[in-house]
Amino acid sequence: GNSVTQMEGPVTLSEEAFLTINCTYTATGYPSLFWYVQYPGEGLQLLLKATKADDKGSNKGFEATYRKETTSFHLEKGSVQVSDSAVYFCALNAGGTSYGKLTFGQGTILTVHP
Amino acid sequence: NAGVMQNPRHLVRRRGQEARLRCSPMKGHSHVYWYRQLPEEGLKFMVYLQKENIIDESGMPKERFSAEFPKEGPSILRIQQVVRGDSAAYFCASSLSENSQMGQYFGPGTRLLVL
């Protein structure tokens, strides 16, 4: 079946530090990959996406590259801010008979201190 | 352009009562998904609906849970005879098409607490 594995948190960083959150996946076919962010008490917001191998998704200084050879989609940001504190979810859509169904990782809590 | 709306935002029920959760998708979206988030876990798919049709309910418990998306009005997730283990955040998402490579748009969620 399809699955997503994220690095365990929580992750605590100082402002302006470099961020990496690892994500690997298992899927049949050619999934689309996503990163979602969830701020406290809110729903999920799409942060970035990639739909095929070697695509790079980017938004608000965050980046992730779809690596088919390592089945990974690691999230990176060069300089985090306090406002980036949130829970980050990696997800995939396997397509085909999965329709739009998303399979999520367990989430990684990020806390950024001033 | 309103986003995905869910209500209520918080719902408290006693064991054995019914919980009814509502979701209005984004304007123009006819594809609705329900997910459940247990404490400190990721989201788990429950059900995928289009107008008047359940397309995939493979993630929904066979008993006590049901979902609908009528021709008119919001999508409803209904939980009968709630138990403490049903306490969770329930998120609705909508998309414009069946192929959601563009991603899904999520509502703020309904946080259900069963006493």
Side-chain angles (χ1 to χ4, degrees):
Chain A
N2 303 317
S3 66
V4 176
T5 302
Q6 288 180 235
M7 65 182 286
E8 292 196 17
V11 174
T12 303
L13 296 172
S14 297
E15 205 164 25
E16 300 183 1
F18 183 84
L19 168 71
T20 299
I21 300 178
N22 289 340
C23 171
T24 57
Y25 68 90
T26 302
T28 54
Y30 302 95
S32 296
L33 302 174
F34 306 86
W35 276 100
Y36 281 86
V37 57
Q38 183 181 30
Y39 297 102
E42 298 184 11
L44 278 70
Q45 301 175 24
L46 179 63
L47 182 59
L48 53 84
K49 64 175 175 64
T51 57
K52 61 182 187 297
D54 300 325
D55 266 3
K56 176 186 282 188
S58 61
N59 185 25
K60 300 180 181 179
F62 291 89
E63 292 183 342
T65 301
Y66 188 145
R67 301 285 188 203
K68 188 167 175 60
E69 64 276 14
T70 55
T71 62
S72 64
F73 193 54
H74 305 322
L75 182 68
E76 296 182 337
K77 186 175 185 181
S79 176
V80 294
Q81 306 299 313
V82 173
S83 57
D84 293 327
S85 298
V87 184
Y88 292 81
F89 292 95
C90 185
L92 71 82
N93 169 230
T97 57
S98 296
Y99 301 100
K101 178 169 65 177
L102 291 172
T103 300
F104 286 89
Q106 71 272 33
T108 301
I109 299 172
L110 171 65
T111 303
V112 181
H113 292 297
Chain B
N1 185 17
V4 179
M5 311 281 282
Q6 288 188 251
N7 67 82
R9 293 291 302 272
H10 299 273
L11 182 61
V12 180
R13 285 288 178 266
R14 296 192 180 280
R15 281 178 295 169
Q17 291 184 318
E18 178 180 286
R20 192 174 290 241
L21 289 60
R22 296 175 187 77
C23 168
S24 296
M26 283 186 71
K27 187 176 181 180
H29 286 194
S30 59
H31 300 258
V32 166
Y33 307 81
W34 286 93
Y35 296 85
R36 177 165 64 176
Q37 184 180 32
L38 294 170
E40 300 184 6
E41 292 189 15
L43 280 72
K44 303 289 188 201
F45 168 80
M46 298 182 75
V47 61
Y48 163 45
L49 309 103
Q50 296 178 20
K51 284 284 187 182
E52 298 185 277
N53 285 303
I54 297 174
I55 307 301
D56 181 350
E57 55 183 349
S58 60
M60 200 154 67
K62 294 290 186 288
E63 298 179 353
R64 301 189 297 108
F65 285 73
S66 62
E68 63 178 13
F69 189 15
K71 186 176 180 181
E72 301 290 338
S75 175
I76 306 287
L77 180 67
R78 183 180 175 210
I79 311 172
Q80 295 178 291
Q81 299 175 332
V82 295
V83 301
R84 287 202 174 131
D86 296 332
S87 295
Y90 292 83
F91 290 96
C92 167
S94 73
S95 65
L96 188 60
S97 68
E98 182 177 286
N99 179 353
S100 70
Q101 283 193 348
M102 298 301 293
Q104 297 169 13
Y105 294 85
F106 281 79
T110 294
R111 283 153 180 83
L112 172 66
L113 176 62
V114 179
L115 301 176

